[in-house]
Amino acid sequence: MATYDFNTSTPGSSGVGVRSTQGTLLGKAFTYMFLFLLLTVAITVGVSVIFQFGIKDIDVRNNAYMITLITASITQIVLTVVIAFTSLRRGKAAVIPLVLYAVCMGVLLSSFTFLGLEWYTLAATFGIAALAFGGMALIGTRSKRAVGMGLVGFGLLFGVLMMGLFNLIFFLVLGPEVWAPINIITSIIVIIAIMLITAFDVYNIKQISMRCQADNNLALYLAFNLYLDFIIILIHILRLVVIFSSNNR
C-alpha cells in the first residue's frame, strides 16, 4: 500500500464530511476493482477462445499455451515486486503495472477452462465468489469488530501455510488418495480466511478515509487489495469445483 500522510484530517470536521470522504474512497476503490475484474474476465474469455478454437493443431496449441502461461506467471511475479516498490513512493500511481497484473491473471485463470469446466459452471462460480465477497464487504462497512476478523483470517492463512509444508509428506507417506481431501480442506480454510480479511480490508478503507485525502492513487492500491481478495476466493472455489467434478467422472 502506498505511503501517505494519514494525519491530514482537519480537527473539528463534521461527521457529514467524514462520511462523504468514506463514501468517496470506498466508491473509487470498488469502481477500480470492478474495472480490474472486468479486464481479467475479458482476457480469460479471449485467451480461452483463441487457444480452444483459434489454433487447430493440438501440439502447437498446447506448446503455445504452456509458453503463454509460463510467461504470464513470470511477468506477474515481476509485477508484484514493481507494484510493491511503486506503492512506497507517494504520488506514483502504478496504473500500468496494475493493469498488466490483471491481464496476466486473466491468462492464468483461463487454465480452468482447459480442465473441462463449462462456461455456465465458471459463471456460477464467479457469482458465488461475488456473493461471498460482497457479503463480507458489507459486513466490513458496518462492523466495528473487523480487526478481530482480520486477525483470525491471517491466523488461518498462516495455518494453511504450515499445512502446505506437510502436504508433500502426506502425499508421499499416505498416498495420492489423501491428496484431494487435503486440497478440499485447504481451499475451504483459505476461502474462510480471505472472506474475513475482506471484511477487514473494507473496514480498513473506512479508517484510512478518516485520516487522509481520498485521492486516485490511494484508491487504486486499495482497489488492488480488494481485487486480490476476490481473485483468491474465486480461485479456491474453482479448485473445489474441479476436485468435485473430477471425483464425479
Side-chain angles (χ1 to χ4, degrees), residues 22-237:
Q22 289 178 354
T24 300
L25 188 58
L26 276 172
K28 286 184 176 180
F30 277 108
T31 299
Y32 287 134
M33 174 201 163
F34 174 77
L35 293 176
F36 290 147
L37 286 175
L38 193 63
L39 177 59
T40 297
V41 171
I43 295 298
T44 299
V45 174
V47 171
S48 300
V49 170
I50 290 173
F51 282 98
Q52 287 189 357
F53 304 105
I55 303 177
K56 301 300 182 182
D57 189 294
I58 297 178
D59 291 333
V60 173
R61 180 179 64 190
N62 292 341
N63 292 334
Y65 187 63
M66 185 59 63
I67 293 174
T68 302
L69 288 180
I70 294 174
T71 302
S73 299
I74 296 175
T75 303
Q76 198 172 61
I77 294 173
V78 174
L79 289 172
T80 301
V81 177
V82 172
I83 292 170
F85 277 99
T86 305
S87 65
L88 298 176
R89 302 171 61 186
R90 184 177 181 180
K92 299 291 184 179
V95 177
I96 294 178
L98 291 173
V99 170
L100 291 177
Y101 190 97
V103 171
C104 291
M105 183 60 71
V107 173
L108 297 176
L109 285 178
S110 68
S111 61
F112 283 99
T113 64
F114 288 85
L115 296 176
L117 296 182
E118 301 292 342
W119 68 268
Y120 49 82
T121 302
L122 293 174
T125 303
F126 193 92
I128 293 172
L131 288 174
F133 176 89
M136 296 310 296
L138 181 60
I139 291 175
T141 61
R142 303 295 182 183
S143 176
K144 297 181 179 179
R145 301 179 179 179
V147 174
M149 295 182 186
L151 292 175
V152 173
F154 286 116
L156 288 174
L157 281 184
F158 180 78
V160 170
L161 177 61
M162 293 297 100
M163 182 184 298
L165 297 177
F166 293 98
N167 275 357
L168 181 59
I169 298 176
F170 292 151
F171 179 79
L172 295 175
V173 175
L174 301 178
E177 61 273 4
V178 302
W179 191 252
I182 291 177
N183 279 335
I184 292 174
I185 295 173
T186 300
S187 291
I188 291 175
I189 294 176
V190 170
I191 292 170
I192 295 173
I194 299 300
M195 287 174 63
L196 294 174
I197 292 173
T198 296
F200 169 74
D201 284 342
V202 175
Y203 172 83
N204 196 38
I205 294 176
K206 289 175 54 182
Q207 300 305 307
I208 291 174
S209 65
M210 297 178 184
R211 303 190 296 273
C212 69
Q213 297 294 330
D215 59 72
N216 287 331
N217 292 354
L218 178 57
L220 275 170
Y221 293 116
L222 295 176
F224 185 62
N225 288 336
L226 297 176
Y227 168 84
L228 290 179
D229 290 341
F230 182 90
I231 289 296
I232 295 173
I233 293 173
L234 176 63
I235 288 176
H236 283 276
I237 293 178

